[in-house]
Amino acid sequence: MTTTTPARTTTRMAALVSEIRTVVERGLAPDLTAYLVGEKLAPHLGSPDLLAPAQQEGDPERYRQHVLHAESDGSFSVVALVWLPGQETCIHDHVSWCVAGVHQGEESERRFRLAPGVGPARLVATEEVVNAQGEVCGFAPPGDIHKVRNACDTKAISVHVYGADVSRLGTSIRRVYALPVD
């Protein structure tokens, strides 16, 4: 993943950040916060005035993260992830609650759980999801292990909101999983 610093904030993005701030300031449980933030994000997806042109640029080597906003108290951040065809993440989980919404194209997501039992740990795939433009999903740890991929023939862009300061951390990823997959 490559990371870029914010270009100018669009008027629509500023409005979205204000809506997210109102939800986060309520101090609700992480899963409820993610759900409510997703409700705020969904109506903005697909709007041509959400992202500046520079915030829609990809990287031919790996998916690109554009940090769009980091709240000054570290309570949340907003990023755009730009995926060229075939680009994907590793299998990972997150440092905090997360909401992802597809702004353009489609993203394929494979979700996993850690398998219980004796012997070495392993992952079990639990679900395959294709998220199209306008679709939102949210989750909170634990149980947020997944891999995301652009499986379509065009660029995909998603907007993610994390309950952490990605500008300071550099990423929302807590752990990368290099375990056998069943």
Side-chain angles (χ1 to χ4, degrees), residues 33-145:
T33 298
Y35 175 80
L36 294 172
V37 167
E39 286 188 331
K40 300 297 184 188
L41 175 60
H44 296 278
L45 296 170
S47 296
D49 58 344
L50 181 62
L51 301 175
Q55 297 164 339
Q56 300 176 56
E57 293 177 1
D59 180 321
E61 299 299 317
R62 60 193 59 83
Y63 71 96
R64 175 174 271 170
Q65 172 181 267
H66 297 275
V67 178
L68 307 174
H69 176 81
E71 193 71 352
S72 60
D73 66 1
S75 60
F76 72 92
S77 52
V78 183
V79 304
L81 297 182
V82 181
W83 315 77
L84 299 181
Q87 292 179 336
E88 63 186 11
T89 67
C90 54
I91 300 173
H92 65 280
D93 63 7
H94 296 271
V95 297
S96 69
W97 59 265
C98 173
V99 174
V102 178
H103 179 63
Q104 175 184 319
E106 289 183 349
E107 290 180 356
S108 297
E109 178 185 15
R110 189 171 197 195
R111 298 175 184 168
F112 300 89
R113 68 174 172 79
L114 281 171
V118 295
R122 66 187 198 290
L123 294 170
V124 175
T126 60
E127 191 173 12
E128 297 276 346
V129 179
V130 176
N131 298 303
Q133 181 178 328
E135 293 184 324
V136 174
C137 64
F139 46 82
D144 60 323
I145 304 169

Side-chain angles (χ1 to χ4, degrees), residues 155-171:
K155 176 170 57 176
I157 302 173
S158 51
V159 177
H160 297 237
V161 184
Y162 301 107
D165 185 347
V166 172
S167 70
R168 183 180 60 78
L169 298 174
T171 182

Side-chain angles (χ1 to χ4, degrees), residues 8-57:
R8 71 173 177 81
T9 298
T10 66
T11 301
R12 181 178 285 274
M13 181 56 66
L16 174 57
V17 166
S18 179
E19 293 171 26
I20 294 167
R21 184 179 295 120
T22 300
V23 170
V24 172
E25 286 176 345
R26 293 174 65 186
L28 301 170
D31 55 342
L32 182 55
T33 298
Y35 175 80
L36 294 172
V37 167
E39 286 188 331
K40 300 297 184 188
L41 175 60
H44 296 278
L45 296 170
S47 296
D49 58 344
L50 181 62
L51 301 175
Q55 297 164 339
Q56 300 176 56
E57 293 177 1

